[in-house]
Amino acid sequence: MLLFFIVGLLVHFVFFASIFDIYFTSPLVHGMAPQFPPLPAPARRLVLIVADGLRADALYKVDENRNSRAPFIRNIIMHEGSWGISHTHVPTESRPGHVALIAGFYEDVSAVAKGWKENPVEFDSLINESKYTWSWGSPDILNMFAKSVGNHVFAYSYDANNEDFGAQDVTKLDTWVFDRVKDFFHAARNNQSLFSKLNEEKIVFFLHLLGIDTNGHAHRPTSREYEDNIKIVDNGIKEIVALIKEFYGNDEKTAFVFTSDHGMTDWGSHGAGHPSETYTPFVTWGAGIKYPQKVPAQQFNDAYLKEWKLEYWKRQDINQADIAPLMASLIGVPFPLNSVGILPVDYLNNTDVFKAESMFTNAKQILEQFKVKMTQKKEVTLPFLFTPFKLLSDSKQLDLLRKARSYIRQGKYDEAVFLCKELIHLSLKGLSYYHTYDRFFLGINVLLSFVGWASYTSLLIIKFHSSLSRGVSKEVKKPSHLLLCSFVAIGILMAFFLLIQACPWTYYVYCLLPVPIWYAVLREYHVIQDLVASLLAFPPSHFVGYLLACALGIEVLVLSFFYRYMLTAGLIIFAGWPFITQLWTRAKSISLSWIFFCLLLAVFPMMPVVGRKPDIFLVMGAGLLVLLLSLFVVPSLIKRKDGFVSDKLFLHLLQMLGTVLSMYIVYSTHNNLLKKQGLPLFNQIVSWIILGSSFVVPLLSPRSLSERLFSILVSSMSTYLLLSTGYQLFLNLLLEWYEALFPLVLSCLMFIWMHMEQEILQLSGVPCVQKVTSIHFSYNADTTPFRQLCLEDIRRAFFLVFFLVTAFFGTGNIASINSFDLASVYCFLTVFSPFVMGALMLWKIFIPFVLVMCAFEAIQLTTQLSSKSLFLMVLVISDIMALHFFFLVKDYGSWLDIGTSISHYVIVMCMTIVLVFLNGLAQLLTTKELRLCGKPKSHLI
């Protein structure tokens, strides 16, 4: 069975990775010739200023007196330059945002996890094409563009430890940049070598300002700190612009671009596709840029213009990738080779011939990518299988290029620009066509693997854990050599087909994986025969009823990813479970408890996912509830007459102390951060100790079912409190619910579920059912005989999956990256560390998951089931859900839809994969035992 789980883990890793190879591979191609603009550029130098995390509305809006918090930028919009909204791309994170700004293309979704420090793949950028670039700001951003690009790029960054969300004044991250730029230009006057470089053409100054983003995470975008930071940035830009103009003697050869990489939600996070994250400001002025244009009216689908009092100044929205070709045209460098941006000619203040020639260069640059992509695909595809992109044939390309050139020669510049845009759109469609050329082929193979694996797992359940298989079939006959030879031949033919097409190694994995899986399925033909015979003997009406019930249950689980209230509906239905069985008459008190906690838990999915106001006292209240529950246990420990009363009492008091410490640290950290005094070292050390001890302390408790589960709950709650920010919600102005209360309610329901399942088992007539209080977790539970599976166990497996999904979505929607609140980890660290912070936030999500899995271990004991049988059924249900989401993945439509479809599939696949690890962790927490003193038990490993 161990081999099955190892193979199953590898298979699911393949399923998990397949989505990125099928839908989100890197769009980059190499081997294109650079396209140089033929006419002199309007600017000799470019100043790019990126205010990280700045929302468009935060910059543009005015107060009731029409006063702007960014008066200098406001003056630019109204008197000197052009403006609009830059629409960003999911994921709205710093790395892909800067790549789109400076390189002109959108990275594949997986690139955001490949590292902030360096580039996972090489690509061309504006900085690479410049003659010289000087940059100041965060090391996380500057190193992406400064490494491996030669000695013409100079980066000046502060220490990464300065990116502290708990610092007293994070605006120093921006003032540091402004001060260093001032020092740089002052020093250049006395440095002849530097002075001569600064007077070259095609140079770039890049200022990355991180303070606004840091203040947004720490204090929210609506805070005074965030708004004051915008004022500081505005004043700093004013001083830098004046300094540069003075340095160059007001030669009018400097172009300025001010924008942001992404926005931010009201609750201080980003990553998804909400307009507050994707709408960023774009303001440009100086050499080559149009002056403000007053218009009588503008047509936009939002009400921002009136709100910002800018309805009469022409707004020109662009896509974020369009900024790179605009900047390239301003200083006359080749458009970045991998750019897919379309030059926004309406921003240019130049001759019509310059605009037409620039668009023609832009069209040729994107067409080059199309031609390289087509050639690459053609070379690795058999001639009779290759289907070219018919909308842009070779003759069509030449015809469009000739016509555009002819229009330019004839002075028909508007027609030339229009034709170039048509060529660009066709080229981008063609790029997408060849980029997704193998999608259908790979999707079919992954689908075959999915169905095959779910079928094989189901057959194993029937074969080893049910009484469905006939006794005769237990004598397994060896499969015929013909079956084996057939599948070997299919595998060889598929491998040869992939080999002659020079496919990447991942294609071999996806296309060959169905072969052994379906061979394993057909080897169990005797089980299939028994299954078919049993189904034929089953009453058709009952069969259809069970099938519909299973399908409806899985659809509810799938819909709960989109509509969290489906979990509420499901829990309300669960509350009626005792009434459709004999439990209501047999065990009224347990049934009432089940109904109460089902309805109580049903409230949590109805709470708002985000937009929460931190309230530390609500977290403290949850901690007090844990202490209250712990105090109820103390008398029962004192009354014990065994020899380990002192050990048990000491352990229990130790866990209570951990809860008290967690409450103190949360309160102390919250107050220190409010006073901007940073995270105290003592709090940080104790937080990490509590986190580490939460894995060890439960192992010191007795292995009796109730005591061990309670110990796991208290230890987990200590960590959960440290990772909770608390939020309040008023229902009819009467009720308050708490984020930190969720694991407590869930654990209570799990404990009652154990009792309910035991009562159900007694109703079914299973003999020798032990009381819950007398059951102990066994180190190797499967060494004792267990009963076979029945239809009722399918319901148990469904309950488990439902509770796992509830554990994921009970207090938030982790399908959206922006649901994460960095404030959750401030007890552990405040200095920006994406992977450590991400790991801590994921562990917070996993804590309810672990509680459910530990309860699952107990239910397997109370229902006398093998730990493998129910687990296999859970894997089958999870795989069916994953197959749903595999077909729902999309790479078109709104960025919010794209991001949601990706995250749904990733969550289900992660749930399936993590389920294997958490099942092992649950077994460890429930079955292993340490002793405070004396010799440890012999079963300890």
Side-chain angles (χ1 to χ4, degrees), residues 509 634 741 810:
V509 176
V634 172
L741 186 63

Side-chain angles (χ1 to χ4, degrees), residues 32-235:
M32 294 81 67
Q35 301 297 319
F36 293 87
L39 299 177
R44 292 176 60 84
R45 67 201 70 91
L46 172 80
V47 181
L48 171 62
I49 306 169
V50 179
D52 204 305
L54 176 60
R55 290 164 45 151
D57 60 340
L59 179 73
Y60 292 143
K61 71 180 178 182
V62 294
D63 60 22
E64 60 274 5
N65 297 320
R66 289 188 173 234
N67 294 323
S68 171
R69 64 174 60 97
F72 177 74
I73 296 297
R74 185 83 174 185
N75 182 70
I76 292 292
I77 292 172
M78 301 176 75
H79 298 100
E80 294 187 38
S82 296
W83 76 286
I85 291 178
S86 168
H87 296 270
T88 65
H89 191 296
V90 169
T92 45
E93 299 289 346
S94 291
R95 178 197 164 82
H98 280 87
V99 169
L101 277 171
I102 299 173
F105 75 94
Y106 303 110
E107 284 190 299
D108 60 296
V109 177
S110 61
V112 72
K114 294 180 182 176
W116 271 256
K117 308 295 182 184
E118 297 180 26
N119 297 322
V121 290
E122 291 186 6
F123 56 82
D124 192 22
S125 71
L126 176 80
I127 289 175
N128 189 46
E129 295 290 354
S130 67
K131 189 160 189 179
Y132 293 107
T133 292
W134 289 270
S135 56
W136 298 266
S138 168
D140 298 336
I141 298 301
L142 301 190
N143 289 342
M144 285 170 32
F145 301 98
K147 287 192 175 184
S148 306
V149 293
N151 56 2
H152 69 287
V153 179
F154 307 94
Y156 306 95
S157 59
Y158 39 74
D159 189 88
N161 290 327
N162 291 337
E163 301 173 14
D164 189 346
F165 297 109
Q168 185 171 4
D169 182 17
V170 296
T171 60
K172 64 184 180 182
L173 299 176
D174 296 339
T175 54
W176 184 96
V177 172
F178 294 134
D179 291 341
R180 294 303 180 277
V181 174
K182 293 173 186 176
D183 294 342
F184 173 79
F185 278 101
H186 289 318
R189 298 182 186 277
N190 302 316
N191 186 328
Q192 188 58 42
S193 173
L194 178 58
F195 187 82
S196 62
K197 288 179 181 178
L198 288 175
N199 280 280
E200 296 278 359
E201 60 181 14
K202 301 179 181 179
I203 63 174
V204 175
F205 302 105
F206 173 33
L207 283 66
H208 176 250
L209 309 173
L210 189 61
I212 292 176
D213 182 75
T214 308
N215 261 319
H217 285 305
H219 305 289
R220 308 298 185 264
T222 54
S223 65
R224 181 178 56 82
E225 289 83 358
Y226 187 88
E227 295 177 353
D228 287 347
N229 205 149
I230 295 175
K231 296 177 182 177
I232 291 172
V233 166
D234 181 71
N235 188 63

Side-chain angles (χ1 to χ4, degrees), residues 408-423:
I408 293 173
R409 286 172 182 163
Q410 297 171 28
K412 298 179 180 179
Y413 303 119
D414 290 339
E415 290 85 345
V417 168
F418 178 81
L419 210 59
C420 290
K421 286 183 178 179
E422 182 185 349
L423 179 56

Side-chain angles (χ1 to χ4, degrees), residues 14 28 30 63 114 138 146 243 266 400 461 534 566 632 687 693 750 779 784 786 823 847 874 914-915:
V14 172
L28 297 185
H30 300 284
D63 60 22
K114 294 180 182 176
S138 168
L243 175 67
D266 290 339
L400 288 172
I461 294 171
S534 300
M566 293 300 296
F632 278 123
S687 295
S693 65
M750 294 298 98
Y779 171 64
T784 55
F786 285 93
I847 286 175
V874 168
V914 171
L915 202 59

Side-chain angles (χ1 to χ4, degrees), residues 449-483:
S449 299
F450 252 120
V451 175
W453 181 259
S455 303
Y456 180 62
T457 308
S458 302
L459 291 175
L460 287 184
I461 294 171
I462 294 169
K463 181 178 180 180
F464 294 110
H465 301 285
S466 78
S467 56
L468 191 60
S469 252
R470 295 189 300 250
V472 181
S473 298
K474 299 293 182 183
E475 300 174 5
V476 180
K477 299 177 183 178
K478 289 186 178 180
S480 65
H481 290 292
L482 179 61
L483 182 66

Side-chain angles (χ1 to χ4, degrees), residues 661-690:
L661 278 174
S662 295
M663 294 167 61
Y664 166 76
I665 289 167
V666 169
Y667 181 78
S668 171
T669 302
H670 178 73
N671 283 340
N672 276 274
L673 293 180
L674 280 180
K675 297 174 183 177
K676 299 183 180 179
Q677 295 176 353
L679 172 63
L681 181 61
F682 171 80
N683 291 13
Q684 187 176 22
I685 292 172
V686 174
S687 295
W688 284 105
I689 290 174
I690 291 174

